[in-house]
Amino acid sequence: MSTAPQVVADDSPVEKAFTDVRPASWWHLPATTTVTGLLALVIFGLRGIPGVDSAYVVVHDSDLNPFGLIPERIVIPSMGGAIALSVIALLASAALWVLHARSARPPARARLTLIALFAVVWILAFMTWVISQRTLDVTTLLQGTIVLAVPLAFGALSGVLSERSGVINIAIEGQLLFGAFGATLVGSITGSVWIGLLAAPLVAMFMGALLAMFAVGYHVQQIIVGVVLNVLAIGLTSFFFGSVMSDNPGLFNAPMRLPTLRIPVLADIPLVGAALFEQNILVYLMWIIVAGLTIALFRTRWGLRVRAVGEHPKAADTVGIAVNLTRWKNVLLGSAVAGLGGATLTIGTGVAFGEEMSAGKGYIALAAMILGRYHPIGALLAALTFAFADSLQLRLGTMSAAEGGVSIPGDFLLMLPYVVALFAVAGVVGRVRVPAANGQPYLKE
């Protein structure tokens, strides 16, 4: 809906006039889903391998499955299953055409439901096609998704905390790298993985302090500061890795791993039990921080002040809120959260620290924050989406090396998570409302 301003010469009441104006690009989404749906029908279905099956393992022997209600394996014809799923995707696309044709501003809930349905069945069609003559363990796929989502989610939450207060945080990559470095270094020196876990957010706060000092204190262009800090983080960690850790890895770079905390009964739920309830403490902290941050940002006085600083800092200052102090605190808090994500890369997975081991995850986390519309829950869902693409490429990479079935080049699989991130963010550009004062330094008059 758009509003037409009215000018009156007296004190008569003014009513807003609402007009339905169809955006010029209304057909882009339905057209895109139609084209991709047709491609799925042709490539995954009609050009699939006839006479073979695709198998999904959904239940293990140790899972709770009374009376065998859930089958251990779901086997479907590869070609027929892909065709059926592609047809469902095309039906969802047709529903999008109808929805957009009947209303200039279609209901958001119906629109998102159809988009989600299309995405799910399209992915299932792709998976059914690619695992022809093979078996995919869905539980392992979901477990990998959760593990890979943790650093992305913590990084995205770091961005939410910073940018909701008006500070652009491009330095997530450096904060993740410093968190991984600090967790391994301190944990190795002290011999305690728990002390390493505590050290990760503290070490990452060094990057946050530099970001706040230059962006908030000296009013330096925030995007440039973030990029420079990422380069600085790579340089410093690479220097200490080569000059300190490599000389005595047993003392300074010992592989350590957080213990797995299994929740009885819940961990035995088929399909999702092991993925959700048989993880280390960082996974559980991720759920807690997402829930706590959602409540804090949108249900507390602190959250109202943070959002006021990010939206209208002058008005916030007028009512007595310390704008720059609030931004300092949020940047530091966000960097500490990113440090926990960095710890996942080392002590969360049981590997030693390596040069540039964040491998662009900070930028993917930034994309998750944007796709999630600067909301903790949205950022988590976006992180899970990207992590699913990454976990899927890892599973398919091992399958492609096997004989038979569909073989996909390894280079394409490696770029799959980044392609998903690119298209996801490109689809929301112009539709996401950025905090009004994001990236704008505040000068107190």
Side-chain angles (χ1 to χ4, degrees):
M1 297 290 182
S2 63
T3 60
Q6 296 180 351
V7 180
V8 296
D10 53 17
D11 294 333
S12 59
V14 177
E15 295 183 0
K16 292 183 178 180
F18 294 89
T19 58
D20 284 332
V21 179
R22 191 184 303 277
S25 61
W26 69 272
W27 57 273
H28 288 181
L29 177 63
T32 301
T33 55
T34 300
V35 171
T36 52
L38 289 172
L39 288 174
L41 179 61
V42 173
I43 298 175
F44 307 154
L46 300 178
R47 294 184 61 86
I49 303 175
V52 298
D53 296 328
S54 300
Y56 295 92
V57 176
V58 294
V59 177
H60 293 168
D61 293 338
S62 59
D63 292 339
L64 290 175
N65 189 20
F67 308 109
L69 295 177
I70 304 175
E72 293 185 3
R73 293 161 59 94
I74 297 177
V75 181
I76 59 177
S78 300
M79 190 173 179
I83 291 175
L85 291 167
S86 299
V87 169
I88 295 174
L90 287 172
L91 291 175
S93 180
L96 277 174
W97 279 108
V98 173
L99 190 67
H100 281 265
R102 294 180 61 181
S103 173
R105 303 284 177 176
R109 181 171 297 179
R111 183 172 177 269
L112 291 175
T113 300
L114 289 174
I115 293 173
L117 174 62
F118 175 87
V120 170
V121 295
W122 195 96
I123 292 171
L124 287 175
F126 169 73
M127 292 169 57
T128 301
W129 168 70
V130 81
I131 66 170
S132 300
Q133 296 180 291
R134 300 170 186 151
T135 300
L136 177 65
D137 191 329
V138 180
T139 300
T140 303
L141 177 66
L142 294 179
Q143 277 185 305
T145 298
I146 297 298
V147 171
L148 293 170
V150 175
L152 301 181
F154 279 128
L157 293 175
S158 172
V160 170
L161 281 165
S162 298
E163 305 210 14
R164 277 288 183 175
S165 67
V167 179
I168 297 176
N169 189 1
I170 303 294
I172 299 174
E173 179 81 2
Q175 294 164 3
L176 289 175
L177 196 57
F178 256 58
F181 173 78
T184 300
L185 180 64
V186 176
S188 298
I189 293 174
T190 60
S192 171
V193 68
W194 298 107
I195 296 179
L197 176 61
L198 294 175
L202 297 177
V203 174
M205 286 176 70
F206 172 72
M207 296 300 296
L210 289 178
L211 175 62
M213 181 178 68
F214 286 109
V216 180
Y218 293 107
H219 308 139
V220 181
Q221 214 285 338
Q222 296 175 11
I223 295 178
I224 295 176
V225 171
V227 173
V228 170
L229 289 178
N230 287 335
V231 176
L232 175 66
I234 293 173
L236 286 177
T237 54
S238 297
F239 170 76
F240 285 110
F241 175 79
S243 61
V244 177
M245 288 182 162
S246 297
D247 291 341
N248 193 346
L251 179 60
F252 298 112
N253 196 19
M256 309 179 76
R257 184 164 191 163
L258 290 166
T260 298
L261 305 178
R262 189 178 191 276
I263 301 178
V265 182
L266 294 180
D268 296 326
I269 298 175
L271 204 64
V272 297
L276 297 178
F277 305 110
E278 193 173 355
Q279 301 283 359
N280 61 52
I281 192 172
L282 286 168
V283 175
Y284 301 122
L285 280 176
M286 178 182 70
W287 308 121
I288 294 171
I289 292 176
V290 168
L293 189 55
T294 301
I295 295 172
L297 274 177
F298 301 102
R299 294 291 186 270
T300 67
R301 181 180 300 177
W302 172 81
L304 180 61
R305 291 182 175 183
V306 168
R307 288 183 287 122
V309 167
E311 295 289 346
H312 204 311
K314 188 173 182 179
D317 190 17
T318 302
V319 298
I321 299 175
V323 173
N324 287 334
L325 179 60
T326 300
R327 289 181 170 180
W328 258 94
K329 291 179 178 179
N330 269 55
V331 171
L332 290 176
L333 180 59
S335 62
V337 171
L340 292 175
T344 307
L345 302 176
T346 51
I347 60 176
T349 54
V351 300
F353 179 80
E355 292 183 85
E356 301 184 47
M357 70 181 308
S358 51
K361 288 182 173 59
Y363 299 107
I364 300 294
L366 188 65
M369 176 201 69
I370 297 172
L371 183 61
R373 299 175 184 267
Y374 300 88
H375 193 288
I377 295 178
L380 173 63
L381 294 177
L384 288 170
T385 301
F386 298 148
F388 177 81
D390 200 4
S391 180
L392 183 61
Q393 70 91 5
L394 291 174
R395 302 282 85 74
L396 297 183
T398 58
M399 289 184 180
S400 296
E403 294 183 359
V406 177
S407 179
I408 300 179
D411 292 337
F412 175 81
L413 292 175
L414 288 175
M415 72 179 185
L416 180 62
Y418 303 99
V419 171
V420 171
L422 179 63
F423 279 96
V425 174
V428 301
V429 168
R431 298 185 179 91
V432 175
R433 184 184 177 278
V434 181
N438 196 24
Q440 301 176 9
Y442 179 68
L443 299 174
K444 188 176 179 66
E445 298 179 357

